[in-house]
Amino acid sequence: KNKKIKVGVSGRISLQKAPNVFADISRRINTKRSDVEFVWIGGGEKKDVDNLESAGVHVTGMMDRSEVLKLVPTLDVFFQTSAYEGLSLALLEAQASGIPAVVTKIPGNDEVVQHGETGFVGQSEDELFDNLEILLDSEEMRVEMGRQAKQYTGDNFSLVAMSDQYKAEYKKQLETT
């Protein structure tokens, strides 16, 4: 009953991942609540690590991929503040593990996270903060969104689903030539 809600992300700490935004929101949440634990699974430049740690974020440092894959499923919320991404493998892994996400509205993220169903997509730091608070306040919502996230990624991003999508596209192309 005294377990803290674990909020985190995995990846190298870099400008792309907007660690300053992650730190700012962590700092804001930590001044209001004592039931949240922030973690960044990865490492980076000392100044970025220091900024995150000063905001109350536990930074694991660089880890072997197998260790990362063991830690990601321990999160209650995946929180990605990236300024830009491709299709984030870390986000896909979290969602496939049944973890709801709060992410920035950028290409890739908004394809994986179905706003209001598998997590939340926010355009500003304030939206990310508000969306994160909604999930922090409701264990029931975290569980349900996590269930939907696992289902959605399985249906749309698994190897079988992607293979079926490629087959359908090839078939369509063959039929039009």
Side-chain angles (χ1 to χ4, degrees), residues 11-24:
R12 186 175 55 82
I13 303 169
S14 65
L15 184 61
Q16 168 191 350
K17 304 291 186 187
N20 56 322
V21 174
F22 192 99
D24 290 347

Side-chain angles (χ1 to χ4, degrees), residues 19-40:
N20 56 322
V21 174
F22 192 99
D24 290 347
I25 293 173
S26 300
R27 202 173 270 112
R28 287 172 64 187
I29 295 284
N30 284 332
T31 60
K32 293 176 67 174
R33 311 174 69 120
S34 61
D35 63 338
V36 182
E37 173 187 354
F38 286 93
V39 62
W40 191 299

Side-chain angles (χ1 to χ4, degrees), residues 76-90:
D76 296 299
V77 178
F78 190 81
F79 183 49
Q80 189 178 63
T81 57
S82 298
Y84 58 92
E85 286 283 345
L87 185 61
S88 171
L89 182 57

